[in-house]
Amino acid sequence: MRHLLITAGLLMASSALAQTAPPSEGPITCTLPVAATDTAKSLQQRYGAEAVVQDLPGAEGETYQGLVLFPRAMDRRIEVAFIEDKTATVSALTLRDSAKSSRWTVAGISIGASLAAVQKANGKPFVVSGFGWDYGGFVTDFKHGALGRRLPGGCSITLRFGKDKDAPRALSGDGVKVSSDNPALLKFAPVVTEIGVNFAAK
């Protein structure tokens, strides 16, 4: 009987730990694995050695101080940005194609998703900016599709497409806007290389 009680106690403790352990893969929502109320301190307390403050790449060659979850597992890596580099207010999460894939999804989309997959999730064509510059390949307009709406909890998403080769001239440059069903873009066949989850300003 004593052995059974000890075993039951261990199972209950393991179950409790499993329930409280933070997720390391799966769907990203407005509250998991990071919430707008989180700070660098709360994330480090929750994730321990899997939450590391680092300099992260910004626009136009600049860097900013953020926090990386799962820094040693590239397919689990999440970059956490804070408002004005202050580690007290989370502003956004970013997934990049460092491993060409990710164990995370956002609104059903993951790194490596095709134009067709994103268009299906959006429910209609969307607009992509021209490639080959600092803001190239970003979706600039979801055209009132599903991916342009805020997720439950109030956060929103951004997507960026890219490919390991230069885009044709007609698809490149600042000021160029291309529909996701454009034949030239479909032939180029870029994939999702970056996903952002942006929290509403508090």
Side-chain angles (χ1 to χ4, degrees):
M1 176 64 77
R2 184 166 180 267
H3 175 73
L4 290 175
L5 288 173
I6 291 172
T7 301
L10 289 172
L11 288 173
M12 291 176 64
S14 297
S15 177
L17 285 172
Q19 290 174 3
T20 58
S24 59
E25 59 183 75
I28 291 178
T29 69
C30 296
T31 56
L32 287 173
V34 178
T37 53
D38 271 315
T39 64
K41 183 177 180 180
S42 70
L43 291 171
Q44 287 173 320
Q45 287 174 338
R46 192 153 76 248
Y47 286 91
E50 297 294 350
V52 179
V53 174
Q54 291 184 0
D55 286 335
L56 300 175
E60 301 176 0
E62 295 183 354
T63 61
Y64 64 93
Q65 190 176 73
L67 184 140
V68 176
L69 297 180
F70 308 106
R72 292 173 294 278
M74 301 309 288
D75 62 348
R76 287 190 171 106
R77 179 184 173 96
I78 299 177
E79 296 176 4
V80 184
F82 300 90
I83 293 175
E84 296 179 352
D85 283 357
K86 295 177 181 178
T87 55
T89 308
V90 171
S91 63
L93 313 178
T94 302
L95 305 178
R96 301 186 195 274
D97 67 339
S98 304
K100 304 301 178 185
S101 65
S102 176
R103 299 194 184 200
W104 302 100
T105 61
V106 182
I109 302 299
S110 190
I111 294 296
S114 66
L115 285 165
V118 175
Q119 187 165 298
K120 182 178 180 181
N122 192 49
K124 58 176 61 180
F126 51 90
V127 178
V128 179
S129 64
F131 297 88
W133 63 297
D134 284 337
Y135 299 100
F138 277 105
V139 175
T140 59
D141 190 348
F142 284 109
K143 293 294 185 179
H144 304 292
L147 297 178
R149 304 179 194 126
R150 291 193 177 275
L151 303 179
C155 60
S156 61
I157 70 171
T158 56
L159 296 177
R160 188 176 198 176
F161 285 84
K163 195 169 183 178
D164 289 336
K165 69 175 184 177
D166 293 337
R169 184 174 297 179
L171 301 177
S172 301
D174 184 5
V176 174
K177 308 291 183 187
V178 189
S179 177
S180 60
D181 58 0
N182 179 289
L185 185 62
L186 290 170
K187 183 178 180 180
F188 180 53
V191 297
V192 173
T193 58
E194 185 176 317
I195 304 174
V197 178
N198 309 294
F199 295 98
K202 297 189 281 292

